Amino acid sequence: MHPSLLLGLLAGTALAGTIRRPGRPRPQAPTAETLCPIVFDGRPDSSLEPLDFDDWNTSPFNPDYVKGAGLPWSSILRFPDISPPARFDDPTYQKPFEVTINDSSIFNNQRGFRRAGLQFQGDTNRESPGSSGIKTIHFSLKWDAQRPLNLSHEYLNVWHETADYSANQFNFQAGAILGQNSLARDTWKVLNRQNRQVWSTPILRNEWQNFAVSLDFVRNTLRVYYSRGSEPLRSVTNALTNNNAGEGQYQVGILRKPTGTSDVVNSGYHQRNLNEGLIYGSVFVEDGEGGCVSL
């Protein structure tokens, strides 16, 4: 990894294939049914404790990446009690989680970023089952008024980064996008590989917002789906031409960029005593073969 790469991160050693942990109950009667085969399931079992996210045997994510040096995931994640649940979560078996960042959220000495990003177990950097055919990543977001994002900064929240760390096939973002002052800050945005916005929606403060991004790695297209609360997802873009080459991995969490610098990886301004978070629910990647998508 070259330190000058904007989104460089280390590829964690992970188990190959879809992760199914022994004894994990299969969700029953969720708020909405998933319709397609699940490739990576990032909906934590409701029985999991914070320390379980530090262990390969119990976490649905890679416990080693991507986070500040010496910070275990058990100190980063929170588990808020939220009702109603996110659209594809059954609260009997699954629970939402919150990714947080603070002054120590510095990964791999990238001192310009504050970041904590979850990678699915099994989502290997090369030959991942998440980087072939048609794959759709689902996630629901809820704002935390106690740990609000500072939208004068640029945030990456969900993205798929190429295996050589040179580009992202897509970014799901918030805040002030550096170098693109015409884009509204107070919106969730989807940007394509060329870093051009293809869709956005206002950030709501009091309800779940549900998203899905489909990547067709064969036809090189991207499609976005969206809904609010318990409403079914609907397509909000066509299948847009997008360069999806380069394999790589998904990441879910917070990457906060600095202001006041031309070297965003290594320098720049963040206020002190940082305490920010974003609540996630219904996080999973499904197979879209034959046009399948859970709505």
Side-chain angles (χ1 to χ4, degrees):
M1 180 188 68
H2 194 282
S4 66
L5 293 176
L6 179 62
L7 294 172
L9 54 85
L10 296 176
T13 302
L15 305 176
T18 302
I19 299 301
R20 299 292 187 195
R21 287 169 294 285
R24 176 173 183 168
R26 214 173 262 281
Q28 299 175 2
T31 305
E33 296 283 353
T34 56
L35 303 176
C36 317
I38 292 180
V39 181
F40 305 124
D41 199 340
R43 298 172 295 177
D45 290 344
S46 57
S47 62
L48 291 184
E49 300 293 337
L51 288 174
D52 291 324
F53 290 83
D54 301 330
D55 190 329
W56 280 100
N57 294 315
T58 49
S59 178
F61 304 104
N62 183 331
D64 297 332
Y65 296 107
V66 176
K67 53 189 177 61
L71 296 179
W73 278 109
S74 56
S75 72
I76 298 169
L77 297 176
R78 303 287 185 270
F79 300 95
D81 185 9
I82 294 178
S83 182
R87 177 159 175 76
F88 293 101
D89 287 353
D90 180 346
T92 303
Y93 297 100
Q94 298 150 338
K95 60 185 176 182
F97 60 87
E98 181 171 11
V99 177
T100 68
I101 56 172
N102 57 40
D103 296 348
S104 299
S105 301
I106 300 173
F107 170 72
N108 199 35
N109 206 35
Q110 296 173 344
R111 306 197 70 82
F113 295 152
R114 300 295 180 267
R115 65 188 302 180
L118 293 159
Q119 296 175 328
F120 299 103
Q121 276 210 44
D123 191 14
T124 50
N125 202 32
R126 299 282 185 181
E127 299 183 355
S128 169
S131 298
S132 63
I134 304 171
K135 299 298 183 294
T136 301
I137 183 167
H138 286 259
F139 52 98
S140 297
L141 297 178
K142 198 161 192 183
W143 188 264
D144 184 352
Q146 302 304 311
R147 298 182 182 89
L149 306 183
N150 179 346
L151 298 176
S152 67
H153 286 258
E154 177 178 347
Y155 293 86
L156 278 75
N157 301 106
V158 180
W159 66 98
H160 192 281
E161 185 173 23
T162 59
D164 64 1
Y165 313 115
S166 65
N168 293 346
Q169 285 94 341
F170 81 92
N171 295 328
F172 180 91
Q173 300 196 235
I177 307 302
L178 294 172
Q180 300 194 52
N181 295 333
S182 63
L183 300 183
R185 297 181 178 188
D186 196 16
T187 61
W188 302 119
K189 313 163 182 66
V190 177
L191 280 67
N192 64 13
R193 187 171 183 142
Q194 288 71 42
N195 208 37
R196 298 192 186 104
Q197 179 177 288
V198 299
W199 179 79
S200 68
T201 192
I203 296 174
L204 305 179
R205 301 302 197 267
N206 297 313
E207 64 179 311
W208 285 108
Q209 294 180 267
N210 313 305
F211 305 90
V213 178
S214 289
L215 296 177
D216 188 328
F217 291 93
V218 178
R219 295 177 178 84
N220 280 308
T221 63
L222 173 155
R223 184 189 291 265
V224 182
Y225 299 82
Y226 172 68
S227 73
R228 294 170 55 172
S230 61
E231 297 173 356
L233 290 163
R234 62 182 182 86
S235 178
V236 291
T237 70
N238 296 320
L240 306 172
T241 299
N242 193 60
N243 180 3
N244 294 332
E247 301 187 87
Q249 295 167 298
Y250 294 96
Q251 198 166 145
V252 175
I254 300 175
L255 188 157
R256 184 190 206 254
K257 294 184 182 180
T259 59
T261 181
S262 60
D263 182 4
V264 296
V265 177
N266 298 301
S267 64
Y269 173 76
H270 296 278
Q271 70 265 33
R272 294 185 179 181
N273 301 314
L274 190 64
N275 180 28
E276 297 183 350
L278 188 60
I279 301 168
Y280 284 87
S282 295
V283 177
F284 60 94
V285 175
E286 65 184 3
D287 194 309
E289 185 67 26
C292 187
V293 60
S294 298
L295 301 175

